[in-house]
Amino acid sequence: KAGVTQTPRYLIKTRGQQVTLSCSPISGHRSVSWYQQTPGQGLQFLFEYFSETQRNKGNFPGRFSGRQFSNSRSEMNVSTLELGDSALYLCASSLNSDSEAFFGQGTRLTVV
Amino acid sequence: GQNIDQPTEMTATEGAIVQINCTYQTSGFNGLFWYQQHAGEAPTFLSYNVLDGLEEKGRFSSFLSRSKGYSYLLLKELQMKDSASYLCAVRDLGGSTLGRLYFGRGTQLTVWP
């Protein structure tokens, strides 16, 4: 059974650009959550999707957005990139809200 | 709000046993997770406790006391490869926080030969 797949693994962008990250959850999992991890802040919750609906959102500016498709794959978009957006972006999938959450390998975004 | 505390750093020697504690305060507790994260890699799921008691999985065990807001991860027969950051995370179902995990800052464990 394939795990959570995130693409791309690494990305370098310049300030002001926008970026789209992709996450394919474990087959059958309907919940996808996104997290930002930086050395200074640790793991910070971005948002959670379940059956194509955003159910929860963290304290990030509107430049951070996401969506989920009917096959449960999810995308995260960051517009007008800032240097401080450089981080490891992690996606976690779970069967539902009451089950274990498994992480993908992450996308390491560097903004220069 | 949610408050999850765990020690920043711990050290131990190969073959020893180490216990990493985690205390939490949440309004709608619905499970506690432990993850292992090696430098530069994604967190790897270790354990999930939703009821009180001890869950054993090979060299790793996790304990939960909901009344005390307390959990620990016990690592036995330590190996060098166990050197990593160990993250405690709580799922909170209170209010609009359905399905959200709150993470501690992680405990960096260093295993010495």
Side-chain angles (χ1 to χ4, degrees):
Chain A
K1 195 173 187 182
V4 182
T5 304
Q6 290 188 246
T7 56
R9 291 290 310 277
Y10 303 92
L11 207 48
I12 300 175
K13 291 284 190 178
T14 55
R15 277 181 297 176
Q17 285 187 309
Q18 68 92 28
V19 67
T20 300
L21 313 181
S22 178
C23 171
S24 293
I26 292 171
S27 178
H29 284 194
R30 296 165 65 191
S31 172
V32 174
S33 299
W34 289 89
Y35 295 83
Q36 180 196 66
Q37 187 176 34
T38 58
Q41 298 296 320
L43 269 154
Q44 301 288 310
F45 174 79
L46 282 156
F47 25 66
E48 190 227 354
Y49 287 88
F50 186 87
S51 294
E52 302 178 66
T53 301
Q54 185 183 89
R55 298 201 302 181
N56 203 352
K57 193 176 192 304
N59 297 323
F60 278 81
R63 299 185 297 107
F64 291 81
S65 63
R67 59 178 175 169
Q68 187 179 34
F69 302 95
S70 57
N71 61 0
S72 293
R73 190 177 71 85
S74 177
E75 286 183 348
M76 188 193 109
N77 186 76
V78 188
S79 61
T80 321
L81 283 166
E82 300 177 359
L83 295 180
D85 297 333
S86 295
L88 179 66
Y89 289 88
L90 292 161
C91 161
S93 86
S94 58
L95 193 61
N96 52 49
S97 293
D98 296 327
S99 57
E100 300 93 326
F102 298 91
F103 282 89
Q105 290 298 301
T107 294
R108 185 163 296 281
L109 172 65
T110 303
V111 182
V112 297
Chain B
Q2 290 71 18
N3 208 11
I4 300 169
D5 289 316
Q6 52 182 129
T8 305
E9 293 179 324
M10 295 184 74
T11 60
T13 53
E14 247 184 326
I17 299 173
V18 71
Q19 177 175 312
I20 303 174
N21 296 324
C22 172
T23 58
Y24 64 88
Q25 292 175 304
T26 63
S27 53
F29 177 84
N30 193 43
L32 187 142
F33 297 77
W34 283 97
Y35 290 89
Q36 179 193 62
Q37 187 176 26
H38 286 100
E41 298 181 9
T44 302
F45 171 82
L46 289 177
S47 68
Y48 173 48
N49 295 67
V50 64
L51 299 176
D52 290 350
L54 187 68
E55 296 273 346
E56 296 185 80
K57 210 184 271 188
R59 294 189 300 115
F60 294 2
S61 303
S62 57
F63 171 82
L64 174 67
S65 169
R66 289 172 295 171
S67 62
K68 295 181 179 177
Y70 168 70
S71 171
Y72 68 73
L73 179 69
L74 193 71
L75 292 79
K76 303 175 186 174
E77 300 168 20
L78 281 172
Q79 302 174 11
M80 298 290 289
K81 66 178 182 180
D82 296 330
S83 293
S85 180
Y86 291 85
L87 302 166
C88 171
V90 172
R91 173 176 280 146
D92 193 316
L93 293 184
S96 62
T97 58
L98 186 68
R100 174 175 177 171
L101 291 182
Y102 290 87
F103 282 84
R105 298 298 295 270
T107 298
Q108 183 62 47
L109 173 66
T110 302
V111 180
W112 299 102

